[in-house]
Amino acid sequence: MKPLRRSRFAWLSRPWLSRAWLSRAWSSRLLGAAGALFAVVLTVSACAQIPTAGAVGTSKDGGSAIGNAPQYIPLGPQSGAGPQSIIEGFFNAGSGYQNDFTVARQFLAPSNAVSWKPSQRTLVYRGSASVVSAGRPNAYRYELDVAYSVDQDGIMTQYPPGTKQSIDVEVSQIDGQWRVSKLPDGTVIPEETFKVLYRAFSVYFYDPSFAVLVPDVRWFIDNSGVAKSLVSAVIAGPAPYLKTAVASAFPPSIRLERESVPIVGTIAQVDLTSELRDASFTDRQRMHSQLVRTFAALPSVGGVSLRTNQTEVAIEDPATGKLPDPIVDPKVPAWQVGIADNQIVQYGSKQASKIDGLGSVAAFGPSSPASDTEQHLYAFLGADGKALYSLIPGQPARLLDSRQRFSPPSISPSDWVWTAGPGATGATEVVAYKPVGAQPGTDAPHVTVAAPWLSGRTVKSLRVGRDGVRVLVLSEADGQPALQIAGIVRGPDGNPKSLTDPVTLPITSKSADIALWVDESTIVVSGTSPSDPVSPELVSLQGGDPRSISPLAGIEALSAGNGEQSIYAMTKDGIFLLVRTSWTEQGKGASQLAFAG
């Protein structure tokens, strides 16, 4: 079927629609000329913070000093417009979020204008969309190439190019004017408009022990209502890939008492239902810590007040005081482990040194070493990556598994040695071993961790996150690499049981075989080559395209510590450290370096 016509607002999807362009357009008053089509008002953050009349402490309802989303103010329906114009106008008005999508509702039949829930879902499309007839009277389809969808809790799902979707709508005549009378909830916006309006935020949940806060990335319109969106997302709970791997202090029944989170001075006033008053002091403090860390992305928020019925509730037990602060973005030690003279060594300050208590492992031809942060457990692969061993100071090396192919070992904060490789049937298995506490000469306890989504894939890299909750997996099938993050599901005994269905992150490298955590939200990915230049890339859970790092010839291995300025590359010529945007030689001393974890 032929499209009736291309959207007259398709210019919104063009790459030059950016904050900078909008700002120039405002300053040069081009908006006046464009007003016949679409007025765009850029809301500058400084303006959003101009105090209203009154004493110090005036409430900025849901305010945020970073509310930089521009306001798209579309025209309403024109008298006498045909069905396709009304449908196009309605979907184009989905970018006009202000005042609860007032303009978009004008395109709807009266009952639909009341019942339509625009925040239920946002579909983001590539290119331009089109209206086609559905083959029956007054019925149409809005067809688009979907890039992402974002649900009401800010959870994004990405789709590959060419993912087609259509939205069924119907129109009716109301007082002689066409209006949309049947449609699903949600809005539709072009990809470039999405990049201007929306921003990635991390909301936080706990590891099962309530010791570590774990980020969960969400996408919201970057406006004054974002404070309420963040609180609602925390209350609603984690994204599907983390749901069975993390914990929250918020009980399932708790809710916001009002549809806003006012910022008074610099304090976010979070008014919750009576379940807050019924909660223990421990749970209140944990709720408070979740929100404080979540609000760290808003410079205008300096603290959080938990309230019910608009009255502040105490969070600390007068008898026991404050709980220890949860750990945020756990760090690894500055030292690394590596291989020198066919032994496992410690590397730091450009020097390799012997590790006290470790016996010789030269007979095994060690490779791909790993260590825990406390230096009481090490692991390594044998020659040519065959067989997996553990090593505890004062004990001989222990054979964990004699299979022929493994991914380099990763040691989780709870002393499990993780790896992946073909199982007895040849299918890919993820296995975790617990050598600490096992008697010398006995087999170490182990579990096969269910991960059906790895069926048919070869795991090149598997790294447990420093929070102990997430696992980073780089795998390949049919020559196509995939970078994915899954949650670790544990049983009542704390032992790992399975990996959740993962989220997939974008990478550009087609030959990637290394993937490492840089911090809680950043990953470095790289290929290897005996001599050719290799450009590693940084991938952020906060979105955006991967960022290339300066190329380095002959990268054989990579290690990553705390942050982007703690990335090391190893070549046959020695060790190199990433300093700002270039590689600086650090000498030799060791190979196959790895930070703890």
Side-chain angles (χ1 to χ4, degrees), residues 263-286:
I263 313 300
V264 178
T266 61
I267 305 300
Q269 295 187 345
V270 181
D271 210 350
L272 299 167
T273 48
S274 60
E275 288 86 351
L276 174 65
R277 195 174 297 280
D278 298 334
S280 67
F281 285 111
T282 294
D283 285 342
R284 292 180 197 176
Q285 288 187 59
R286 288 171 173 170

mmCIF file with all atom_site columns, all heavy atoms in Angstrom, residues 263-286:
data_model
loop_
_atom_site.group_PDB
_atom_site.id
_atom_site.type_symbol
_atom_site.label_atom_id
_atom_site.label_alt_id
_atom_site.label_comp_id
_atom_site.label_asym_id
_atom_site.label_entity_id
_atom_site.label_seq_id
_atom_site.pdbx_PDB_ins_code
_atom_site.Cartn_x
_atom_site.Cartn_y
_atom_site.Cartn_z
_atom_site.occupancy
_atom_site.B_iso_or_equiv
_atom_site.pdbx_formal_charge
_atom_site.auth_seq_id
_atom_site.auth_comp_id
_atom_site.auth_asym_id
_atom_site.auth_atom_id
_atom_site.pdbx_PDB_model_num
ATOM 1   N N   . ILE A 1 263 ? 11.293 19.961 45.440 1.00 0.00 ? 263 ILE A N   1
ATOM 2   C CA  . ILE A 1 263 ? 12.629 20.242 45.948 1.00 0.00 ? 263 ILE A CA  1
ATOM 3   C C   . ILE A 1 263 ? 12.537 21.530 46.753 1.00 0.00 ? 263 ILE A C   1
ATOM 4   O O   . ILE A 1 263 ? 12.285 22.602 46.187 1.00 0.00 ? 263 ILE A O   1
ATOM 5   C CB  . ILE A 1 263 ? 13.666 20.402 44.821 1.00 0.00 ? 263 ILE A CB  1
ATOM 6   C CG1 . ILE A 1 263 ? 13.536 19.273 43.789 1.00 0.00 ? 263 ILE A CG1 1
ATOM 7   C CG2 . ILE A 1 263 ? 15.069 20.465 45.396 1.00 0.00 ? 263 ILE A CG2 1
ATOM 8   C CD1 . ILE A 1 263 ? 13.735 17.889 44.323 1.00 0.00 ? 263 ILE A CD1 1
ATOM 9   N N   . VAL A 1 264 ? 12.704 21.460 48.061 1.00 0.00 ? 264 VAL A N   1
ATOM 10  C CA  . VAL A 1 264 ? 12.618 22.623 48.938 1.00 0.00 ? 264 VAL A CA  1
ATOM 11  C C   . VAL A 1 264 ? 14.034 22.968 49.380 1.00 0.00 ? 264 VAL A C   1
ATOM 12  O O   . VAL A 1 264 ? 14.676 22.191 50.090 1.00 0.00 ? 264 VAL A O   1
ATOM 13  C CB  . VAL A 1 264 ? 11.707 22.361 50.146 1.00 0.00 ? 264 VAL A CB  1
ATOM 14  C CG1 . VAL A 1 264 ? 11.676 23.586 51.057 1.00 0.00 ? 264 VAL A CG1 1
ATOM 15  C CG2 . VAL A 1 264 ? 10.304 22.015 49.674 1.00 0.00 ? 264 VAL A CG2 1
ATOM 16  N N   . GLY A 1 265 ? 14.505 24.126 48.950 1.00 0.00 ? 265 GLY A N   1
ATOM 17  C CA  . GLY A 1 265 ? 15.918 24.413 49.128 1.00 0.00 ? 265 GLY A CA  1
ATOM 18  C C   . GLY A 1 265 ? 16.699 23.456 48.252 1.00 0.00 ? 265 GLY A C   1
ATOM 19  O O   . GLY A 1 265 ? 16.640 23.525 47.029 1.00 0.00 ? 265 GLY A O   1
ATOM 20  N N   . THR A 1 266 ? 17.422 22.532 48.879 1.00 0.00 ? 266 THR A N   1
ATOM 21  C CA  . THR A 1 266 ? 18.109 21.484 48.118 1.00 0.00 ? 266 THR A CA  1
ATOM 22  C C   . THR A 1 266 ? 17.653 20.094 48.550 1.00 0.00 ? 266 THR A C   1
ATOM 23  O O   . THR A 1 266 ? 18.311 19.099 48.226 1.00 0.00 ? 266 THR A O   1
ATOM 24  C CB  . THR A 1 266 ? 19.634 21.590 48.317 1.00 0.00 ? 266 THR A CB  1
ATOM 25  O OG1 . THR A 1 266 ? 19.940 21.406 49.710 1.00 0.00 ? 266 THR A OG1 1
ATOM 26  C CG2 . THR A 1 266 ? 20.163 22.934 47.843 1.00 0.00 ? 266 THR A CG2 1
ATOM 27  N N   . ILE A 1 267 ? 16.536 20.030 49.267 1.00 0.00 ? 267 ILE A N   1
ATOM 28  C CA  . ILE A 1 267 ? 16.066 18.752 49.810 1.00 0.00 ? 267 ILE A CA  1
ATOM 29  C C   . ILE A 1 267 ? 14.878 18.236 49.001 1.00 0.00 ? 267 ILE A C   1
ATOM 30  O O   . ILE A 1 267 ? 13.876 18.936 48.837 1.00 0.00 ? 267 ILE A O   1
ATOM 31  C CB  . ILE A 1 267 ? 15.656 18.890 51.291 1.00 0.00 ? 267 ILE A CB  1
ATOM 32  C CG1 . ILE A 1 267 ? 16.817 19.463 52.108 1.00 0.00 ? 267 ILE A CG1 1
ATOM 33  C CG2 . ILE A 1 267 ? 15.220 17.543 51.847 1.00 0.00 ? 267 ILE A CG2 1
ATOM 34  C CD1 . ILE A 1 267 ? 18.077 18.621 52.082 1.00 0.00 ? 267 ILE A CD1 1
ATOM 35  N N   . ALA A 1 268 ? 15.006 17.013 48.501 1.00 0.00 ? 268 ALA A N   1
ATOM 36  C CA  . ALA A 1 268 ? 13.892 16.352 47.812 1.00 0.00 ? 268 ALA A CA  1
ATOM 37  C C   . ALA A 1 268 ? 12.941 15.791 48.863 1.00 0.00 ? 268 ALA A C   1
ATOM 38  O O   . ALA A 1 268 ? 13.333 14.956 49.681 1.00 0.00 ? 268 ALA A O   1
ATOM 39  C CB  . ALA A 1 268 ? 14.408 15.242 46.913 1.00 0.00 ? 268 ALA A CB  1
ATOM 40  N N   . GLN A 1 269 ? 11.700 16.258 48.847 1.00 0.00 ? 269 GLN A N   1
ATOM 41  C CA  . GLN A 1 269 ? 10.699 15.802 49.804 1.00 0.00 ? 269 GLN A CA  1
ATOM 42  C C   . GLN A 1 269 ? 9.899  14.655 49.173 1.00 0.00 ? 269 GLN A C   1
ATOM 43  O O   . GLN A 1 269 ? 9.057  14.869 48.307 1.00 0.00 ? 269 GLN A O   1
ATOM 44  C CB  . GLN A 1 269 ? 9.778  16.948 50.201 1.00 0.00 ? 269 GLN A CB  1
ATOM 45  C CG  . GLN A 1 269 ? 10.491 18.054 50.966 1.00 0.00 ? 269 GLN A CG  1
ATOM 46  C CD  . GLN A 1 269 ? 9.534  19.100 51.507 1.00 0.00 ? 269 GLN A CD  1
ATOM 47  O OE1 . GLN A 1 269 ? 8.373  19.177 51.100 1.00 0.00 ? 269 GLN A OE1 1
ATOM 48  N NE2 . GLN A 1 269 ? 10.022 19.923 52.420 1.00 0.00 ? 269 GLN A NE2 1
ATOM 49  N N   . VAL A 1 270 ? 10.205 13.449 49.625 1.00 0.00 ? 270 VAL A N   1
ATOM 50  C CA  . VAL A 1 270 ? 9.584  12.247 49.072 1.00 0.00 ? 270 VAL A CA  1
ATOM 51  C C   . VAL A 1 270 ? 8.472  11.809 50.019 1.00 0.00 ? 270 VAL A C   1
ATOM 52  O O   . VAL A 1 270 ? 8.727  11.262 51.096 1.00 0.00 ? 270 VAL A O   1
ATOM 53  C CB  . VAL A 1 270 ? 10.624 11.126 48.886 1.00 0.00 ? 270 VAL A CB  1
ATOM 54  C CG1 . VAL A 1 270 ? 9.966  9.888  48.288 1.00 0.00 ? 270 VAL A CG1 1
ATOM 55  C CG2 . VAL A 1 270 ? 11.767 11.617 47.997 1.00 0.00 ? 270 VAL A CG2 1
ATOM 56  N N   . ASP A 1 271 ? 7.247  12.092 49.618 1.00 0.00 ? 271 ASP A N   1
ATOM 57  C CA  . ASP A 1 271 ? 6.077  11.833 50.457 1.00 0.00 ? 271 ASP A CA  1
ATOM 58  C C   . ASP A 1 271 ? 5.484  10.480 50.071 1.00 0.00 ? 271 ASP A C   1
ATOM 59  O O   . ASP A 1 271 ? 4.939  10.319 48.973 1.00 0.00 ? 271 ASP A O   1
ATOM 60  C CB  . ASP A 1 271 ? 5.050  12.946 50.252 1.00 0.00 ? 271 ASP A CB  1
ATOM 61  C CG  . ASP A 1 271 ? 4.202  13.185 51.493 1.00 0.00 ? 271 ASP A CG  1
ATOM 62  O OD1 . ASP A 1 271 ? 4.288  12.376 52.430 1.00 0.00 ? 271 ASP A OD1 1
ATOM 63  O OD2 . ASP A 1 271 ? 3.458  14.187 51.513 1.00 0.00 ? 271 ASP A OD2 1
ATOM 64  N N   . LEU A 1 272 ? 5.582  9.503  50.977 1.00 0.00 ? 272 LEU A N   1
ATOM 65  C CA  . LEU A 1 272 ? 5.183  8.132  50.690 1.00 0.00 ? 272 LEU A CA  1
ATOM 66  C C   . LEU A 1 272 ? 3.960  7.725  51.510 1.00 0.00 ? 272 LEU A C   1
ATOM 67  O O   . LEU A 1 272 ? 3.629  8.374  52.509 1.00 0.00 ? 272 LEU A O   1
ATOM 68  C CB  . LEU A 1 272 ? 6.343  7.176  50.992 1.00 0.00 ? 272 LEU A CB  1
ATOM 69  C CG  . LEU A 1 272 ? 7.623  7.414  50.176 1.00 0.00 ? 272 LEU A CG  1
ATOM 70  C CD1 . LEU A 1 272 ? 8.784  6.635  50.770 1.00 0.00 ? 272 LEU A CD1 1
ATOM 71  C CD2 . LEU A 1 272 ? 7.413  7.038  48.713 1.00 0.00 ? 272 LEU A CD2 1
ATOM 72  N N   . THR A 1 273 ? 3.324  6.657  51.086 1.00 0.00 ? 273 THR A N   1
ATOM 73  C CA  . THR A 1 273 ? 2.150  6.158  51.790 1.00 0.00 ? 273 THR A CA  1
ATOM 74  C C   . THR A 1 273 ? 2.549  5.578  53.147 1.00 0.00 ? 273 THR A C   1
ATOM 75  O O   . THR A 1 273 ? 3.732  5.468  53.480 1.00 0.00 ? 273 THR A O   1
ATOM 76  C CB  . THR A 1 273 ? 1.428  5.111  50.941 1.00 0.00 ? 273 THR A CB  1
ATOM 77  O OG1 . THR A 1 273 ? 2.384  4.160  50.445 1.00 0.00 ? 273 THR A OG1 1
ATOM 78  C CG2 . THR A 1 273 ? 0.732  5.750  49.749 1.00 0.00 ? 273 THR A CG2 1
ATOM 79  N N   . SER A 1 274 ? 1.560  5.185  53.945 1.00 0.00 ? 274 SER A N   1
ATOM 80  C CA  . SER A 1 274 ? 1.772  4.842  55.353 1.00 0.00 ? 274 SER A CA  1
ATOM 81  C C   . SER A 1 274 ? 2.701  3.651  55.568 1.00 0.00 ? 274 SER A C   1
ATOM 82  O O   . SER A 1 274 ? 3.186  3.437  56.677 1.00 0.00 ? 274 SER A O   1
ATOM 83  C CB  . SER A 1 274 ? 0.425  4.558  56.026 1.00 0.00 ? 274 SER A CB  1
ATOM 84  O OG  . SER A 1 274 ? -0.232 3.472  55.384 1.00 0.00 ? 274 SER A OG  1
ATOM 85  N N   . GLU A 1 275 ? 2.977  2.869  54.514 1.00 0.00 ? 275 GLU A N   1
ATOM 86  C CA  . GLU A 1 275 ? 3.923  1.757  54.668 1.00 0.00 ? 275 GLU A CA  1
ATOM 87  C C   . GLU A 1 275 ? 5.285  2.248  55.147 1.00 0.00 ? 275 GLU A C   1
ATOM 88  O O   . GLU A 1 275 ? 6.027  1.497  55.785 1.00 0.00 ? 275 GLU A O   1
ATOM 89  C CB  . GLU A 1 275 ? 4.085  0.996  53.350 1.00 0.00 ? 275 GLU A CB  1
ATOM 90  C CG  . GLU A 1 275 ? 2.903  0.149  52.953 1.00 0.00 ? 275 GLU A CG  1
ATOM 91  C CD  . GLU A 1 275 ? 1.851  0.932  52.196 1.00 0.00 ? 275 GLU A CD  1
ATOM 92  O OE1 . GLU A 1 275 ? 1.956  2.176  52.124 1.00 0.00 ? 275 GLU A OE1 1
ATOM 93  O OE2 . GLU A 1 275 ? 0.918  0.298  51.666 1.00 0.00 ? 275 GLU A OE2 1
ATOM 94  N N   . LEU A 1 276 ? 5.612  3.500  54.853 1.00 0.00 ? 276 LEU A N   1
ATOM 95  C CA  . LEU A 1 276 ? 6.878  4.060  55.328 1.00 0.00 ? 276 LEU A CA  1
ATOM 96  C C   . LEU A 1 276 ? 6.912  4.101  56.851 1.00 0.00 ? 276 LEU A C   1
ATOM 97  O O   . LEU A 1 276 ? 7.911  3.722  57.471 1.00 0.00 ? 276 LEU A O   1
ATOM 98  C CB  . LEU A 1 276 ? 7.085  5.468  54.749 1.00 0.00 ? 276 LEU A CB  1
ATOM 99  C CG  . LEU A 1 276 ? 8.302  6.226  55.285 1.00 0.00 ? 276 LEU A CG  1
ATOM 100 C CD1 . LEU A 1 276 ? 9.591  5.514  54.882 1.00 0.00 ? 276 LEU A CD1 1
ATOM 101 C CD2 . LEU A 1 276 ? 8.313  7.663  54.777 1.00 0.00 ? 276 LEU A CD2 1
ATOM 102 N N   . ARG A 1 277 ? 5.817  4.573  57.464 1.00 0.00 ? 277 ARG A N   1
ATOM 103 C CA  . ARG A 1 277 ? 5.785  4.659  58.920 1.00 0.00 ? 277 ARG A CA  1
ATOM 104 C C   . ARG A 1 277 ? 5.837  3.269  59.561 1.00 0.00 ? 277 ARG A C   1
ATOM 105 O O   . ARG A 1 277 ? 6.359  3.095  60.672 1.00 0.00 ? 277 ARG A O   1
ATOM 106 C CB  . ARG A 1 277 ? 4.532  5.403  59.366 1.00 0.00 ? 277 ARG A CB  1
ATOM 107 C CG  . ARG A 1 277 ? 4.573  5.875  60.820 1.00 0.00 ? 277 ARG A CG  1
ATOM 108 C CD  . ARG A 1 277 ? 3.365  6.730  61.160 1.00 0.00 ? 277 ARG A CD  1
ATOM 109 N NE  . ARG A 1 277 ? 3.307  7.956  60.370 1.00 0.00 ? 277 ARG A NE  1
ATOM 110 C CZ  . ARG A 1 277 ? 4.031  9.050  60.636 1.00 0.00 ? 277 ARG A CZ  1
ATOM 111 N NH1 . ARG A 1 277 ? 4.872  9.049  61.657 1.00 0.00 ? 277 ARG A NH1 1
ATOM 112 N NH2 . ARG A 1 277 ? 3.908  10.118 59.885 1.00 0.00 ? 277 ARG A NH2 1
ATOM 113 N N   . ASP A 1 278 ? 5.315  2.269  58.866 1.00 0.00 ? 278 ASP A N   1
ATOM 114 C CA  . ASP A 1 278 ? 5.319  0.906  59.399 1.00 0.00 ? 278 ASP A CA  1
ATOM 115 C C   . ASP A 1 278 ? 6.669  0.217  59.235 1.00 0.00 ? 278 ASP A C   1
ATOM 116 O O   . ASP A 1 278 ? 6.917  -0.820 59.861 1.00 0.00 ? 278 ASP A O   1
ATOM 117 C CB  . ASP A 1 278 ? 4.248  0.065  58.700 1.00 0.00 ? 278 ASP A CB  1
ATOM 118 C CG  . ASP A 1 278 ? 2.830  0.603  58.934 1.00 0.00 ? 278 ASP A CG  1
ATOM 119 O OD1 . ASP A 1 278 ? 2.622  1.263  59.969 1.00 0.00 ? 278 ASP A OD1 1
ATOM 120 O OD2 . ASP A 1 278 ? 1.972  0.376  58.070 1.00 0.00 ? 278 ASP A OD2 1
ATOM 121 N N   . ALA A 1 279 ? 7.534  0.761  58.399 1.00 0.00 ? 279 ALA A N   1
ATOM 122 C CA  . ALA A 1 279 ? 8.821  0.125  58.112 1.00 0.00 ? 279 ALA A CA  1
ATOM 123 C C   . ALA A 1 279 ? 9.783  0.280  59.291 1.00 0.00 ? 279 ALA A C   1
ATOM 124 O O   . ALA A 1 279 ? 9.700  1.241  60.067 1.00 0.00 ? 279 ALA A O   1
ATOM 125 C CB  . ALA A 1 279 ? 9.441  0.734  56.855 1.00 0.00 ? 279 ALA A CB  1
ATOM 126 N N   . SER A 1 280 ? 10.708 -0.652 59.405 1.00 0.00 ? 280 SER A N   1
ATOM 127 C CA  . SER A 1 280 ? 11.714 -0.584 60.461 1.00 0.00 ? 280 SER A CA  1
ATOM 128 C C   . SER A 1 280 ? 12.711 0.543  60.167 1.00 0.00 ? 280 SER A C   1
ATOM 129 O O   . SER A 1 280 ? 12.809 1.038  59.038 1.00 0.00 ? 280 SER A O   1
ATOM 130 C CB  . SER A 1 280 ? 12.468 -1.911 60.547 1.00 0.00 ? 280 SER A CB  1
ATOM 131 O OG  . SER A 1 280 ? 13.247 -2.113 59.372 1.00 0.00 ? 280 SER A OG  1
ATOM 132 N N   . PHE A 1 281 ? 13.464 0.932  61.200 1.00 0.00 ? 281 PHE A N   1
ATOM 133 C CA  . PHE A 1 281 ? 14.495 1.948  60.996 1.00 0.00 ? 281 PHE A CA  1
ATOM 134 C C   . PHE A 1 281 ? 15.522 1.471  59.971 1.00 0.00 ? 281 PHE A C   1
ATOM 135 O O   . PHE A 1 281 ? 16.011 2.249  59.154 1.00 0.00 ? 281 PHE A O   1
ATOM 136 C CB  . PHE A 1 281 ? 15.187 2.290  62.323 1.00 0.00 ? 281 PHE A CB  1
ATOM 137 C CG  . PHE A 1 281 ? 14.368 3.152  63.237 1.00 0.00 ? 281 PHE A CG  1
ATOM 138 C CD1 . PHE A 1 281 ? 13.853 2.644  64.418 1.00 0.00 ? 281 PHE A CD1 1
ATOM 139 C CD2 . PHE A 1 281 ? 14.113 4.482  62.916 1.00 0.00 ? 281 PHE A CD2 1
ATOM 140 C CE1 . PHE A 1 281 ? 13.092 3.444  65.272 1.00 0.00 ? 281 PHE A CE1 1
ATOM 141 C CE2 . PHE A 1 281 ? 13.355 5.285  63.752 1.00 0.00 ? 281 PHE A CE2 1
ATOM 142 C CZ  . PHE A 1 281 ? 12.835 4.768  64.937 1.00 0.00 ? 281 PHE A CZ  1
ATOM 143 N N   . THR A 1 282 ? 15.829 0.173  60.015 1.00 0.00 ? 282 THR A N   1
ATOM 144 C CA  . THR A 1 282 ? 16.788 -0.364 59.039 1.00 0.00 ? 282 THR A CA  1
ATOM 145 C C   . THR A 1 282 ? 16.284 -0.180 57.619 1.00 0.00 ? 282 THR A C   1
ATOM 146 O O   . THR A 1 282 ? 17.008 0.296  56.730 1.00 0.00 ? 282 THR A O   1
ATOM 147 C CB  . THR A 1 282 ? 17.046 -1.857 59.321 1.00 0.00 ? 282 THR A CB  1
ATOM 148 O OG1 . THR A 1 282 ? 17.697 -1.987 60.584 1.00 0.00 ? 282 THR A OG1 1
ATOM 149 C CG2 . THR A 1 282 ? 17.925 -2.471 58.245 1.00 0.00 ? 282 THR A CG2 1
ATOM 150 N N   . ASP A 1 283 ? 15.019 -0.539 57.377 1.00 0.00 ? 283 ASP A N   1
ATOM 151 C CA  . ASP A 1 283 ? 14.475 -0.399 56.028 1.00 0.00 ? 283 ASP A CA  1
ATOM 152 C C   . ASP A 1 283 ? 14.371 1.067  55.620 1.00 0.00 ? 283 ASP A C   1
ATOM 153 O O   . ASP A 1 283 ? 14.595 1.411  54.450 1.00 0.00 ? 283 ASP A O   1
ATOM 154 C CB  . ASP A 1 283 ? 13.108 -1.074 55.937 1.00 0.00 ? 283 ASP A CB  1
ATOM 155 C CG  . ASP A 1 283 ? 13.214 -2.587 55.880 1.00 0.00 ? 283 ASP A CG  1
ATOM 156 O OD1 . ASP A 1 283 ? 14.314 -3.085 55.571 1.00 0.00 ? 283 ASP A OD1 1
ATOM 157 O OD2 . ASP A 1 283 ? 12.217 -3.275 56.155 1.00 0.00 ? 283 ASP A OD2 1
ATOM 158 N N   . ARG A 1 284 ? 14.018 1.937  56.563 1.00 0.00 ? 284 ARG A N   1
ATOM 159 C CA  . ARG A 1 284 ? 13.947 3.371  56.228 1.00 0.00 ? 284 ARG A CA  1
ATOM 160 C C   . ARG A 1 284 ? 15.318 3.899  55.800 1.00 0.00 ? 284 ARG A C   1
ATOM 161 O O   . ARG A 1 284 ? 15.424 4.663  54.835 1.00 0.00 ? 284 ARG A O   1
ATOM 162 C CB  . ARG A 1 284 ? 13.437 4.167  57.420 1.00 0.00 ? 284 ARG A CB  1
ATOM 163 C CG  . ARG A 1 284 ? 11.983 3.925  57.786 1.00 0.00 ? 284 ARG A CG  1
ATOM 164 C CD  . ARG A 1 284 ? 11.601 4.782  58.974 1.00 0.00 ? 284 ARG A CD  1
ATOM 165 N NE  . ARG A 1 284 ? 10.368 4.333  59.615 1.00 0.00 ? 284 ARG A NE  1
ATOM 166 C CZ  . ARG A 1 284 ? 9.872  4.865  60.720 1.00 0.00 ? 284 ARG A CZ  1
ATOM 167 N NH1 . ARG A 1 284 ? 10.524 5.865  61.317 1.00 0.00 ? 284 ARG A NH1 1
ATOM 168 N NH2 . ARG A 1 284 ? 8.758  4.400  61.243 1.00 0.00 ? 284 ARG A NH2 1
ATOM 169 N N   . GLN A 1 285 ? 16.366 3.501  56.524 1.00 0.00 ? 285 GLN A N   1
ATOM 170 C CA  . GLN A 1 285 ? 17.697 3.963  56.144 1.00 0.00 ? 285 GLN A CA  1
ATOM 171 C C   . GLN A 1 285 ? 18.102 3.420  54.778 1.00 0.00 ? 285 GLN A C   1
ATOM 172 O O   . GLN A 1 285 ? 18.734 4.125  53.985 1.00 0.00 ? 285 GLN A O   1
ATOM 173 C CB  . GLN A 1 285 ? 18.715 3.531  57.202 1.00 0.00 ? 285 GLN A CB  1
ATOM 174 C CG  . GLN A 1 285 ? 18.603 4.307  58.514 1.00 0.00 ? 285 GLN A CG  1
ATOM 175 C CD  . GLN A 1 285 ? 19.732 3.977  59.464 1.00 0.00 ? 285 GLN A CD  1
ATOM 176 O OE1 . GLN A 1 285 ? 20.899 4.157  59.139 1.00 0.00 ? 285 GLN A OE1 1
ATOM 177 N NE2 . GLN A 1 285 ? 19.381 3.481  60.645 1.00 0.00 ? 285 GLN A NE2 1
ATOM 178 N N   . ARG A 1 286 ? 17.733 2.190  54.527 1.00 0.00 ? 286 ARG A N   1
ATOM 179 C CA  . ARG A 1 286 ? 18.066 1.620  53.219 1.00 0.00 ? 286 ARG A CA  1
ATOM 180 C C   . ARG A 1 286 ? 17.287 2.309  52.097 1.00 0.00 ? 286 ARG A C   1
ATOM 181 O O   . ARG A 1 286 ? 17.838 2.567  51.015 1.00 0.00 ? 286 ARG A O   1
ATOM 182 C CB  . ARG A 1 286 ? 17.790 0.122  53.228 1.00 0.00 ? 286 ARG A CB  1
ATOM 183 C CG  . ARG A 1 286 ? 18.796 -0.663 54.061 1.00 0.00 ? 286 ARG A CG  1
ATOM 184 C CD  . ARG A 1 286 ? 18.397 -2.113 54.236 1.00 0.00 ? 286 ARG A CD  1
ATOM 185 N NE  . ARG A 1 286 ? 19.459 -2.879 54.892 1.00 0.00 ? 286 ARG A NE  1
ATOM 186 C CZ  . ARG A 1 286 ? 19.326 -4.115 55.346 1.00 0.00 ? 286 ARG A CZ  1
ATOM 187 N NH1 . ARG A 1 286 ? 18.153 -4.751 55.204 1.00 0.00 ? 286 ARG A NH1 1
ATOM 188 N NH2 . ARG A 1 286 ? 20.335 -4.742 55.920 1.00 0.00 ? 286 ARG A NH2 1
#
